[in-house]
Amino acid sequence: MHKFDVVVIGAGAAGLFCAGIAGQRGLKVLVIDHSEKVAEKIRISGGGRANFTNKDVTPANFLSDNPHFCRSALSRYTPKDFTALMTRHGISFHEKHKGQLFCDRSAEDLITMLLAECATGNVTRWQPCSVKNIAFSASGAGSYTIDSSHGQINTPQIVVATGGLSIPKIGATDFGYRLAQQFGLRMVAPRPALVPLTFDNEAWAPYAHLSGLALPVQIEVGAKKTKTAFLEDLLFTHRGLSGPAVLQISSYWIEGTPIRLNLAPEVDLPPALARAKATSRKLIANELAQLVPSRLADAWAGQDPAWQKPIGDATDKALAQLAEKLARWELTPNGSEGYKKAEVTAGGVDTRDVSSQTMESKQPGLYFIGEVVDVTGWLGGYNFQWAWASGFACGQALSLSSPSPYAPN
Ligand code: FDA
């Protein structure tokens, strides 16, 4: 029987980070992962450069059934703490759009750093290693017996860092959710988030030829108090809509409800079209192409015979309707591209059953960190920041077996 102070299941962002912190505190840590490689999602993130955090992180950048849950961990481990760690490891980075921080060279640098942090501590890693069964014995202080492909392990503490369901082909599983349910913890139903949205073929046919077109838009769902809006880039695809605008809103979109788009958020269309009507003899599509991308202008003007004429001949009503159709395009997706394309999984282990201070669940000694928990960040580095912050809170809270032969002098 192998004995460890803590077993971390999942060698991804949260698991490796937490293991390094616990190992450096003197705990004897085992990390196991069923994949051969560590941290595949870090490797493929941010186009290979990992958008590893965001300069401006607040709880408002996260979705959860309990929006306050993430506050404590996020305040105790900030983006500045993580960038300071990167600087200590000599990893340079740069800011892109809206506070998003990326590695200058490669996401591999981040993985090397996480492994180096583990190597500084007392961390053993078994990969590939699968978990067949976990049993809890309440006798004494309580301990777990893990039946793994490397043999039986005894430990008083388990950290579940197995992530969500997105991208199954690189190792995502529902392990964490099943384990939570095995120990009677509640779940918030998982769903794909940060994902492209799709439309039924017939409804999408008039727009399919716009595939590849990208433009800034305002996108929103909901109404009044539930309204959520983003100003971001939209991308037309063969099957529907993608790009940062749609990925962001997809996390808030409820099946069967519409999304609304302003395709010209930076232009006040009615006066712009009225001015053109007074001075121009060009076709409406050509005038519109001064205000929005020309492919979009052609496609929109082509939708109604009243818009296929010189702008000087158009009625005020027709121009008002054209402006309205561009500024308030409402359409209802029939679904999303699903876990195959989703960057994250919303929902997960219900935070009502997890401590926001330590990430320990109501099941003694069983901790949940990272994406497996019902905390989902916006696009822009927020999900990695949650992995670091929740991993830190947990890594600090795990207890040393006393007396531990591994504690530093
Ligand atoms: P993570 O998924 O990183 O790790 C889970 C680990 O558990 C994996 O190593 C897996 O193999 C292992 N595991 C699963 N089941 C297991 C089992 N049954 N037994 C043993 N091990 C098991 N976020 C961000 O902030 N900035 C970005 O740029 C991006 N970009 C991005 C691109 C793409 C394509 C995707 C899919 C995702 C992103 N993300 C992102 C999201 C980010 O990658 C994600 O939120 C974090 O990796 C979550 O960290 P975790 O450690 O919780 O899970």
Side-chain angles (χ1 to χ4, degrees), residues 9-16 32-35 37-42 44-47 50-53 102 127 129-131 161-164 166-167 170-176 178 194 341-344 369-372 378-385 387:
I9 307 177
L16 285 179
I32 56 187
D33 198 296
H34 67 160
S35 297
K37 290 186 180 168
V38 291
E40 269 299 86
K41 283 196 184 160
I42 297 181
I44 62 171
S45 67
N51 176 197
F52 59 85
T53 191
F102 288 75
Q127 279 185 277
C129 174
S130 57
V131 174
T162 46
S166 12
I167 326 279
I170 56 165
T173 71
D174 64 353
F175 178 89
R178 281 189 284 113
L194 299 182
K341 291 275 174 70
E343 281 203 9
V344 286
I369 58 171
E371 201 181 312
V372 72
W378 287 4
L379 188 75
Y382 301 99
N383 285 295
F384 280 139
Q385 186 59 34

Short mmCIF file of all heavy atoms in Angstrom, two decimals, residues 9-16 32-35 37-42 44-47 50-53 102 127 129-131 161-164 166-167 170-176 178 194 341-344 369-372 378-385 387, ligand 1:
data_model
loop_
_atom_site.label_atom_id
_atom_site.label_comp_id
_atom_site.label_asym_id
_atom_site.label_seq_id
_atom_site.Cartn_x
_atom_site.Cartn_y
_atom_site.Cartn_z
N ILE A 9 -5.85 14.25 -8.15
CA ILE A 9 -6.26 13.53 -9.36
C ILE A 9 -6.49 14.55 -10.46
O ILE A 9 -7.38 15.40 -10.36
CB ILE A 9 -7.52 12.67 -9.12
CG1 ILE A 9 -7.31 11.77 -7.90
CG2 ILE A 9 -7.82 11.83 -10.36
CD1 ILE A 9 -8.53 10.92 -7.54
N GLY A 10 -5.65 14.49 -11.51
CA GLY A 10 -5.72 15.45 -12.61
C GLY A 10 -4.48 16.33 -12.63
O GLY A 10 -4.28 17.16 -11.75
N ALA A 11 -3.62 16.10 -13.65
CA ALA A 11 -2.39 16.89 -13.77
C ALA A 11 -2.59 17.99 -14.81
O ALA A 11 -1.83 18.11 -15.77
CB ALA A 11 -1.21 15.99 -14.15
N GLY A 12 -3.66 18.77 -14.61
CA GLY A 12 -3.90 19.92 -15.47
C GLY A 12 -3.46 21.19 -14.76
O GLY A 12 -2.62 21.13 -13.84
N ALA A 13 -4.04 22.31 -15.15
CA ALA A 13 -3.62 23.60 -14.61
C ALA A 13 -3.79 23.64 -13.09
O ALA A 13 -2.83 23.90 -12.35
CB ALA A 13 -4.45 24.70 -15.27
N ALA A 14 -5.00 23.36 -12.61
CA ALA A 14 -5.28 23.49 -11.17
C ALA A 14 -4.53 22.43 -10.37
O ALA A 14 -3.95 22.73 -9.32
CB ALA A 14 -6.78 23.38 -10.93
N GLY A 15 -4.54 21.19 -10.87
CA GLY A 15 -3.92 20.09 -10.13
C GLY A 15 -2.42 20.27 -9.94
O GLY A 15 -1.89 20.13 -8.83
N LEU A 16 -1.72 20.62 -11.02
CA LEU A 16 -0.26 20.79 -10.92
C LEU A 16 0.08 21.97 -10.01
O LEU A 16 1.00 21.91 -9.20
CB LEU A 16 0.35 21.02 -12.31
CG LEU A 16 0.46 19.79 -13.22
CD1 LEU A 16 1.06 20.20 -14.56
CD2 LEU A 16 1.29 18.68 -12.58
N ILE A 32 -1.85 12.05 -9.96
CA ILE A 32 -2.08 11.02 -10.97
C ILE A 32 -2.97 11.57 -12.08
O ILE A 32 -3.85 12.40 -11.84
CB ILE A 32 -2.67 9.71 -10.38
CG1 ILE A 32 -3.95 9.95 -9.62
CG2 ILE A 32 -1.69 9.03 -9.48
CD1 ILE A 32 -4.44 8.70 -8.91
N ASP A 33 -2.70 11.10 -13.28
CA ASP A 33 -3.51 11.52 -14.43
C ASP A 33 -3.59 10.34 -15.39
O ASP A 33 -2.60 9.61 -15.57
CB ASP A 33 -2.85 12.72 -15.14
CG ASP A 33 -3.85 13.46 -16.04
OD1 ASP A 33 -4.33 12.86 -17.03
OD2 ASP A 33 -4.13 14.65 -15.76
N HIS A 34 -4.74 10.15 -15.99
CA HIS A 34 -4.90 9.00 -16.90
C HIS A 34 -4.25 9.25 -18.27
O HIS A 34 -4.11 8.32 -19.06
CB HIS A 34 -6.38 8.61 -17.03
CG HIS A 34 -7.22 9.64 -17.72
ND1 HIS A 34 -8.42 9.35 -18.28
CD2 HIS A 34 -7.02 10.96 -17.92
CE1 HIS A 34 -8.94 10.44 -18.80
NE2 HIS A 34 -8.10 11.43 -18.59
N SER A 35 -3.87 10.51 -18.53
CA SER A 35 -3.21 10.80 -19.81
C SER A 35 -1.70 10.63 -19.66
O SER A 35 -1.17 10.74 -18.57
CB SER A 35 -3.48 12.23 -20.24
OG SER A 35 -4.84 12.42 -20.46
N LYS A 37 0.41 12.73 -21.15
CA LYS A 37 1.00 14.07 -21.06
C LYS A 37 0.31 14.87 -19.97
O LYS A 37 -0.87 14.65 -19.70
CB LYS A 37 0.79 14.79 -22.39
CG LYS A 37 1.61 14.25 -23.53
CD LYS A 37 1.40 15.17 -24.70
CE LYS A 37 2.16 14.75 -25.93
NZ LYS A 37 1.72 15.49 -27.10
N VAL A 38 1.04 15.82 -19.40
CA VAL A 38 0.41 16.73 -18.43
C VAL A 38 -0.21 17.91 -19.19
O VAL A 38 0.21 18.25 -20.29
CB VAL A 38 1.43 17.30 -17.42
CG1 VAL A 38 1.94 16.23 -16.49
CG2 VAL A 38 2.57 18.03 -18.11
N ALA A 39 -1.21 18.50 -18.56
CA ALA A 39 -1.71 19.83 -18.93
C ALA A 39 -1.91 20.08 -20.42
O ALA A 39 -1.49 21.10 -20.95
CB ALA A 39 -0.76 20.89 -18.34
N GLU A 40 -2.59 19.15 -21.07
CA GLU A 40 -2.83 19.31 -22.51
C GLU A 40 -3.58 20.60 -22.84
O GLU A 40 -3.35 21.23 -23.87
CB GLU A 40 -3.63 18.12 -23.03
CG GLU A 40 -2.78 16.97 -23.53
CD GLU A 40 -1.88 17.36 -24.70
OE1 GLU A 40 -0.76 17.86 -24.45
OE2 GLU A 40 -2.30 17.15 -25.85
N LYS A 41 -4.50 20.99 -21.93
CA LYS A 41 -5.29 22.20 -22.24
C LYS A 41 -4.45 23.46 -22.17
O LYS A 41 -4.70 24.40 -22.90
CB LYS A 41 -6.52 22.28 -21.34
CG LYS A 41 -7.59 21.32 -21.81
CD LYS A 41 -8.93 21.59 -21.23
CE LYS A 41 -9.87 20.49 -21.70
NZ LYS A 41 -11.07 20.39 -20.85
N ILE A 42 -3.45 23.46 -21.30
CA ILE A 42 -2.55 24.63 -21.29
C ILE A 42 -1.80 24.65 -22.62
O ILE A 42 -1.68 25.69 -23.27
CB ILE A 42 -1.53 24.56 -20.12
CG1 ILE A 42 -2.24 24.60 -18.78
CG2 ILE A 42 -0.51 25.70 -20.24
CD1 ILE A 42 -1.32 24.57 -17.57
N ILE A 44 -2.59 23.66 -25.58
CA ILE A 44 -3.32 24.09 -26.80
C ILE A 44 -4.00 25.45 -26.62
O ILE A 44 -4.60 25.97 -27.54
CB ILE A 44 -4.38 23.05 -27.22
CG1 ILE A 44 -5.45 22.87 -26.14
CG2 ILE A 44 -3.74 21.73 -27.59
CD1 ILE A 44 -6.64 22.04 -26.60
N SER A 45 -3.88 26.02 -25.42
CA SER A 45 -4.66 27.25 -25.17
C SER A 45 -4.00 28.47 -25.81
O SER A 45 -2.79 28.49 -26.05
CB SER A 45 -4.79 27.48 -23.67
OG SER A 45 -3.52 27.76 -23.12
N GLY A 46 -4.84 29.45 -26.07
CA GLY A 46 -4.35 30.74 -26.58
C GLY A 46 -3.49 30.59 -27.82
O GLY A 46 -2.47 31.27 -27.94
N GLY A 47 -3.88 29.69 -28.72
CA GLY A 47 -3.13 29.47 -29.96
C GLY A 47 -1.70 29.02 -29.68
O GLY A 47 -0.78 29.35 -30.43
N ALA A 50 -1.07 30.34 -24.54
CA ALA A 50 -1.81 30.37 -23.26
C ALA A 50 -2.14 31.79 -22.78
O ALA A 50 -1.27 32.53 -22.33
CB ALA A 50 -1.03 29.65 -22.15
N ASN A 51 -3.41 32.10 -22.86
CA ASN A 51 -3.88 33.35 -22.22
C ASN A 51 -4.06 32.99 -20.74
O ASN A 51 -5.13 32.62 -20.29
CB ASN A 51 -5.20 33.75 -22.89
CG ASN A 51 -5.86 34.96 -22.26
OD1 ASN A 51 -7.04 35.20 -22.47
ND2 ASN A 51 -5.11 35.71 -21.47
N PHE A 52 -2.94 33.11 -19.98
CA PHE A 52 -2.86 32.45 -18.67
C PHE A 52 -3.53 33.23 -17.54
O PHE A 52 -3.76 32.69 -16.47
CB PHE A 52 -1.40 32.15 -18.32
CG PHE A 52 -0.55 33.39 -18.28
CD1 PHE A 52 -0.49 34.15 -17.14
CD2 PHE A 52 0.17 33.78 -19.40
CE1 PHE A 52 0.29 35.30 -17.11
CE2 PHE A 52 0.94 34.93 -19.38
CZ PHE A 52 1.00 35.70 -18.23
N THR A 53 -3.83 34.50 -17.74
CA THR A 53 -4.63 35.26 -16.77
C THR A 53 -5.10 36.54 -17.44
O THR A 53 -4.89 36.76 -18.63
CB THR A 53 -3.86 35.57 -15.47
OG1 THR A 53 -4.79 36.07 -14.49
CG2 THR A 53 -2.75 36.60 -15.65
N PHE A 102 -0.60 36.82 -22.30
CA PHE A 102 -0.15 35.63 -23.02
C PHE A 102 1.35 35.45 -22.84
O PHE A 102 2.09 36.43 -22.67
CB PHE A 102 -0.39 35.78 -24.54
CG PHE A 102 -1.83 35.71 -24.96
CD1 PHE A 102 -2.70 36.77 -24.73
CD2 PHE A 102 -2.32 34.58 -25.62
CE1 PHE A 102 -4.02 36.70 -25.13
CE2 PHE A 102 -3.64 34.51 -26.03
CZ PHE A 102 -4.50 35.57 -25.77
N GLN A 127 1.86 8.75 -14.32
CA GLN A 127 1.11 8.93 -15.56
C GLN A 127 1.57 7.94 -16.62
O GLN A 127 2.80 7.77 -16.74
CB GLN A 127 1.38 10.35 -16.11
CG GLN A 127 0.55 11.43 -15.46
CD GLN A 127 0.77 12.76 -16.11
OE1 GLN A 127 1.73 13.45 -15.76
NE2 GLN A 127 -0.08 13.11 -17.05
N CYS A 129 -2.05 6.84 -15.30
CA CYS A 129 -2.51 6.04 -14.17
C CYS A 129 -4.01 6.27 -14.03
O CYS A 129 -4.46 7.42 -14.01
CB CYS A 129 -1.78 6.48 -12.90
SG CYS A 129 -2.40 5.67 -11.40
N SER A 130 -4.77 5.19 -14.00
CA SER A 130 -6.22 5.39 -13.89
C SER A 130 -6.71 4.95 -12.51
O SER A 130 -6.12 4.07 -11.87
CB SER A 130 -6.94 4.64 -15.00
OG SER A 130 -6.59 3.29 -14.94
N VAL A 131 -7.79 5.58 -12.10
CA VAL A 131 -8.39 5.28 -10.80
C VAL A 131 -9.58 4.36 -11.04
O VAL A 131 -10.47 4.70 -11.82
CB VAL A 131 -8.85 6.58 -10.10
CG1 VAL A 131 -9.61 6.26 -8.82
CG2 VAL A 131 -7.65 7.47 -9.82
N ALA A 161 -9.09 17.40 -9.43
CA ALA A 161 -8.75 18.48 -10.36
C ALA A 161 -8.87 17.96 -11.78
O ALA A 161 -8.00 18.19 -12.62
CB ALA A 161 -7.34 18.99 -10.07
N THR A 162 -9.96 17.23 -12.03
CA THR A 162 -10.10 16.54 -13.32
C THR A 162 -10.81 17.38 -14.37
O THR A 162 -11.10 16.88 -15.46
CB THR A 162 -10.85 15.19 -13.13
OG1 THR A 162 -11.98 15.41 -12.30
CG2 THR A 162 -9.95 14.16 -12.50
N GLY A 163 -11.08 18.65 -14.08
CA GLY A 163 -11.61 19.56 -15.11
C GLY A 163 -13.03 19.22 -15.54
O GLY A 163 -13.75 18.47 -14.87
N GLY A 164 -13.41 19.79 -16.69
CA GLY A 164 -14.77 19.61 -17.21
C GLY A 164 -14.81 18.63 -18.36
O GLY A 164 -13.91 17.82 -18.55
N SER A 166 -15.15 19.42 -21.69
CA SER A 166 -14.81 19.87 -23.04
C SER A 166 -13.57 19.19 -23.59
O SER A 166 -12.62 18.91 -22.85
CB SER A 166 -14.64 21.38 -23.10
OG SER A 166 -14.59 21.92 -21.83
N ILE A 167 -13.60 18.96 -24.86
CA ILE A 167 -12.54 18.31 -25.65
C ILE A 167 -12.22 16.90 -25.12
O ILE A 167 -11.11 16.65 -24.62
CB ILE A 167 -11.25 19.18 -25.75
CG1 ILE A 167 -11.58 20.67 -25.79
CG2 ILE A 167 -10.40 18.74 -26.91
CD1 ILE A 167 -12.00 21.23 -27.11
N ILE A 170 -8.85 14.94 -25.82
CA ILE A 170 -7.58 15.09 -25.11
C ILE A 170 -7.71 14.74 -23.63
O ILE A 170 -6.95 15.21 -22.79
CB ILE A 170 -6.92 16.49 -25.30
CG1 ILE A 170 -7.87 17.60 -24.86
CG2 ILE A 170 -6.44 16.69 -26.71
CD1 ILE A 170 -7.16 18.94 -24.67
N GLY A 171 -8.70 13.91 -23.30
CA GLY A 171 -8.70 13.33 -21.96
C GLY A 171 -9.75 13.81 -20.99
O GLY A 171 -9.73 13.42 -19.82
N ALA A 172 -10.68 14.68 -21.44
CA ALA A 172 -11.71 15.15 -20.50
C ALA A 172 -12.66 14.02 -20.15
O ALA A 172 -13.06 13.24 -21.03
CB ALA A 172 -12.48 16.32 -21.13
N THR A 173 -13.02 13.91 -18.88
CA THR A 173 -13.97 12.89 -18.44
C THR A 173 -14.90 13.48 -17.37
O THR A 173 -14.65 14.56 -16.85
CB THR A 173 -13.26 11.67 -17.79
OG1 THR A 173 -12.74 12.09 -16.51
CG2 THR A 173 -12.17 11.11 -18.66
N ASP A 174 -15.94 12.70 -17.04
CA ASP A 174 -16.87 13.14 -15.99
C ASP A 174 -16.47 12.57 -14.63
O ASP A 174 -17.27 12.54 -13.70
CB ASP A 174 -18.30 12.71 -16.35
CG ASP A 174 -18.46 11.20 -16.38
OD1 ASP A 174 -17.44 10.47 -16.25
OD2 ASP A 174 -19.60 10.73 -16.52
N PHE A 175 -15.20 12.18 -14.50
CA PHE A 175 -14.73 11.53 -13.27
C PHE A 175 -15.09 12.34 -12.02
O PHE A 175 -15.61 11.81 -11.03
CB PHE A 175 -13.20 11.34 -13.34
CG PHE A 175 -12.62 10.74 -12.10
CD1 PHE A 175 -12.52 9.37 -11.95
CD2 PHE A 175 -12.18 11.54 -11.05
CE1 PHE A 175 -11.99 8.82 -10.78
CE2 PHE A 175 -11.65 11.01 -9.89
CZ PHE A 175 -11.56 9.64 -9.76
N GLY A 176 -14.77 13.64 -12.04
CA GLY A 176 -14.98 14.49 -10.87
C GLY A 176 -16.45 14.55 -10.48
O GLY A 176 -16.79 14.55 -9.29
N ARG A 178 -18.74 12.28 -11.12
CA ARG A 178 -19.18 10.98 -10.60
C ARG A 178 -18.71 10.80 -9.15
O ARG A 178 -19.44 10.29 -8.31
CB ARG A 178 -18.68 9.83 -11.48
CG ARG A 178 -19.53 9.65 -12.75
CD ARG A 178 -19.19 8.40 -13.52
NE ARG A 178 -17.95 8.55 -14.27
CZ ARG A 178 -16.84 7.89 -14.03
NH1 ARG A 178 -16.79 7.00 -13.06
NH2 ARG A 178 -15.76 8.09 -14.76
N LEU A 194 -18.50 28.86 -23.60
CA LEU A 194 -17.49 29.42 -24.51
C LEU A 194 -17.44 28.55 -25.77
O LEU A 194 -16.41 27.95 -26.11
CB LEU A 194 -16.11 29.50 -23.83
CG LEU A 194 -16.02 30.38 -22.58
CD1 LEU A 194 -14.61 30.41 -22.02
CD2 LEU A 194 -16.48 31.80 -22.87
N LYS A 341 -16.17 21.33 -29.17
CA LYS A 341 -15.58 22.63 -29.47
C LYS A 341 -15.58 23.60 -28.29
O LYS A 341 -14.97 24.66 -28.37
CB LYS A 341 -16.37 23.30 -30.62
CG LYS A 341 -16.23 22.63 -31.96
CD LYS A 341 -14.98 23.12 -32.69
CE LYS A 341 -14.70 22.39 -33.97
NZ LYS A 341 -15.68 22.70 -35.01
N ALA A 342 -16.30 23.24 -27.22
CA ALA A 342 -16.42 24.19 -26.10
C ALA A 342 -15.08 24.37 -25.41
O ALA A 342 -14.35 23.40 -25.20
CB ALA A 342 -17.45 23.67 -25.10
N GLU A 343 -14.75 25.61 -25.03
CA GLU A 343 -13.50 25.83 -24.29
C GLU A 343 -13.64 25.41 -22.85
O GLU A 343 -12.66 25.06 -22.20
CB GLU A 343 -13.06 27.29 -24.37
CG GLU A 343 -12.39 27.60 -25.68
CD GLU A 343 -11.47 28.82 -25.63
OE1 GLU A 343 -11.19 29.35 -24.55
OE2 GLU A 343 -11.06 29.23 -26.72
N VAL A 344 -14.84 25.48 -22.31
CA VAL A 344 -15.04 25.09 -20.92
C VAL A 344 -16.41 24.44 -20.71
O VAL A 344 -17.24 24.45 -21.61
CB VAL A 344 -14.96 26.30 -19.95
CG1 VAL A 344 -13.55 26.79 -19.76
CG2 VAL A 344 -15.87 27.42 -20.39
N ILE A 369 -11.12 21.47 -7.10
CA ILE A 369 -10.55 22.74 -7.57
C ILE A 369 -10.65 22.84 -9.10
O ILE A 369 -10.79 21.83 -9.79
CB ILE A 369 -9.06 22.89 -7.15
CG1 ILE A 369 -8.21 21.72 -7.68
CG2 ILE A 369 -8.93 23.00 -5.64
CD1 ILE A 369 -6.71 21.92 -7.48
N GLY A 370 -10.54 24.06 -9.61
CA GLY A 370 -10.52 24.26 -11.07
C GLY A 370 -11.90 24.13 -11.69
O GLY A 370 -12.94 24.39 -11.07
N GLU A 371 -11.89 23.68 -12.93
CA GLU A 371 -13.11 23.71 -13.75
C GLU A 371 -14.18 22.72 -13.30
O GLU A 371 -15.35 22.87 -13.66
CB GLU A 371 -12.69 23.41 -15.20
CG GLU A 371 -13.69 23.88 -16.21
CD GLU A 371 -13.24 23.56 -17.62
OE1 GLU A 371 -12.07 23.84 -17.96
OE2 GLU A 371 -14.06 23.02 -18.39
N VAL A 372 -13.81 21.71 -12.53
CA VAL A 372 -14.79 20.71 -12.08
C VAL A 372 -15.84 21.35 -11.15
O VAL A 372 -16.95 20.85 -11.02
CB VAL A 372 -14.06 19.52 -11.40
CG1 VAL A 372 -13.51 19.90 -10.03
CG2 VAL A 372 -14.96 18.30 -11.28
N TRP A 378 -15.19 34.01 -17.91
CA TRP A 378 -15.34 34.54 -19.26
C TRP A 378 -14.13 34.10 -20.09
O TRP A 378 -13.10 33.66 -19.55
CB TRP A 378 -15.33 36.07 -19.24
CG TRP A 378 -16.55 36.72 -18.70
CD1 TRP A 378 -17.66 36.12 -18.16
CD2 TRP A 378 -16.79 38.14 -18.62
NE1 TRP A 378 -18.56 37.07 -17.77
CE2 TRP A 378 -18.05 38.32 -18.04
CE3 TRP A 378 -16.05 39.26 -18.99
CZ2 TRP A 378 -18.59 39.58 -17.81
CZ3 TRP A 378 -16.59 40.52 -18.77
CH2 TRP A 378 -17.85 40.68 -18.20
N LEU A 379 -14.24 34.34 -21.38
CA LEU A 379 -13.10 34.21 -22.27
C LEU A 379 -12.11 35.32 -21.89
O LEU A 379 -12.53 36.42 -21.57
CB LEU A 379 -13.60 34.44 -23.71
CG LEU A 379 -12.64 34.18 -24.84
CD1 LEU A 379 -12.49 32.69 -25.05
CD2 LEU A 379 -13.18 34.82 -26.14
N GLY A 380 -10.80 35.02 -21.91
CA GLY A 380 -9.86 36.10 -21.64
C GLY A 380 -8.88 35.83 -20.51
O GLY A 380 -8.36 36.77 -19.92
N GLY A 381 -8.66 34.54 -20.18
CA GLY A 381 -7.67 34.21 -19.15
C GLY A 381 -8.28 33.96 -17.79
O GLY A 381 -7.58 33.62 -16.84
N TYR A 382 -9.59 34.14 -17.68
CA TYR A 382 -10.25 34.01 -16.37
C TYR A 382 -10.31 32.56 -15.88
O TYR A 382 -10.26 32.30 -14.69
CB TYR A 382 -11.66 34.60 -16.43
CG TYR A 382 -11.65 36.05 -16.82
CD1 TYR A 382 -11.92 36.45 -18.13
CD2 TYR A 382 -11.33 37.04 -15.89
CE1 TYR A 382 -11.89 37.79 -18.49
CE2 TYR A 382 -11.29 38.37 -16.25
CZ TYR A 382 -11.57 38.74 -17.56
OH TYR A 382 -11.52 40.06 -17.92
N ASN A 383 -10.43 31.62 -16.81
CA ASN A 383 -10.53 30.23 -16.35
C ASN A 383 -9.21 29.73 -15.79
O ASN A 383 -9.20 29.00 -14.78
CB ASN A 383 -11.07 29.34 -17.48
CG ASN A 383 -12.55 29.57 -17.66
OD1 ASN A 383 -13.34 29.26 -16.76
ND2 ASN A 383 -12.95 30.17 -18.77
N PHE A 384 -8.11 30.14 -16.39
CA PHE A 384 -6.82 29.76 -15.79
C PHE A 384 -6.63 30.46 -14.45
O PHE A 384 -6.14 29.86 -13.50
CB PHE A 384 -5.65 30.06 -16.73
CG PHE A 384 -5.46 29.01 -17.80
CD1 PHE A 384 -5.15 29.37 -19.11
CD2 PHE A 384 -5.59 27.66 -17.51
CE1 PHE A 384 -4.99 28.40 -20.10
CE2 PHE A 384 -5.44 26.68 -18.48
CZ PHE A 384 -5.13 27.06 -19.78
N GLN A 385 -7.07 31.74 -14.35
CA GLN A 385 -6.90 32.41 -13.05
C GLN A 385 -7.69 31.68 -11.97
O GLN A 385 -7.23 31.56 -10.84
CB GLN A 385 -7.32 33.88 -13.15
CG GLN A 385 -7.03 34.68 -11.87
CD GLN A 385 -5.55 34.68 -11.48
OE1 GLN A 385 -4.66 34.67 -12.32
NE2 GLN A 385 -5.27 34.67 -10.17
N ALA A 387 -8.25 28.46 -11.98
CA ALA A 387 -7.47 27.25 -11.69
C ALA A 387 -6.35 27.58 -10.69
O ALA A 387 -6.13 26.85 -9.71
CB ALA A 387 -6.88 26.67 -12.98
P1 FDA B 1 -7.71 20.65 -16.93
O1 FDA B 1 -8.66 20.26 -18.00
O2 FDA B 1 -6.63 21.61 -17.23
O3 FDA B 1 -7.02 19.34 -16.32
C1 FDA B 1 -7.75 18.19 -15.99
C2 FDA B 1 -6.81 17.01 -15.97
O4 FDA B 1 -7.50 15.91 -15.42
C3 FDA B 1 -6.33 16.60 -17.36
O5 FDA B 1 -4.93 16.48 -17.36
C4 FDA B 1 -7.03 15.27 -17.59
O6 FDA B 1 -6.25 14.36 -18.36
C5 FDA B 1 -7.20 14.75 -16.18
N1 FDA B 1 -8.29 13.80 -16.02
C6 FDA B 1 -9.55 13.89 -16.51
N2 FDA B 1 -10.24 12.79 -16.18
C7 FDA B 1 -9.41 11.99 -15.47
C8 FDA B 1 -9.55 10.70 -14.88
N3 FDA B 1 -10.70 10.03 -14.97
N4 FDA B 1 -8.49 10.16 -14.24
C9 FDA B 1 -7.31 10.83 -14.18
N5 FDA B 1 -7.11 12.04 -14.73
C10 FDA B 1 -8.16 12.62 -15.36
N6 FDA B 1 -8.62 29.23 -20.33
C11 FDA B 1 -7.98 30.42 -20.15
O7 FDA B 1 -8.05 30.99 -19.07
N7 FDA B 1 -7.24 30.94 -21.19
C12 FDA B 1 -7.12 30.34 -22.40
O8 FDA B 1 -6.40 30.82 -23.28
C13 FDA B 1 -7.83 29.12 -22.60
N8 FDA B 1 -7.81 28.51 -23.82
C14 FDA B 1 -8.44 27.31 -23.98
C15 FDA B 1 -8.39 26.69 -25.24
C16 FDA B 1 -9.03 25.46 -25.42
C17 FDA B 1 -9.01 24.81 -26.78
C18 FDA B 1 -9.68 24.84 -24.32
C19 FDA B 1 -10.33 23.50 -24.48
C20 FDA B 1 -9.73 25.46 -23.09
C21 FDA B 1 -9.12 26.70 -22.91
N9 FDA B 1 -9.18 27.36 -21.68
C22 FDA B 1 -8.54 28.57 -21.52
C23 FDA B 1 -9.86 26.76 -20.50
C24 FDA B 1 -8.79 26.13 -19.58
O9 FDA B 1 -7.96 25.30 -20.35
C25 FDA B 1 -9.45 25.31 -18.47
O10 FDA B 1 -10.44 26.07 -17.83
C26 FDA B 1 -8.41 24.86 -17.46
O11 FDA B 1 -7.44 24.04 -18.10
C27 FDA B 1 -9.06 24.10 -16.33
O12 FDA B 1 -8.06 23.61 -15.48
P2 FDA B 1 -8.30 22.28 -14.65
O13 FDA B 1 -7.00 21.99 -14.02
O14 FDA B 1 -9.51 22.41 -13.82
O15 FDA B 1 -8.63 21.17 -15.75
#
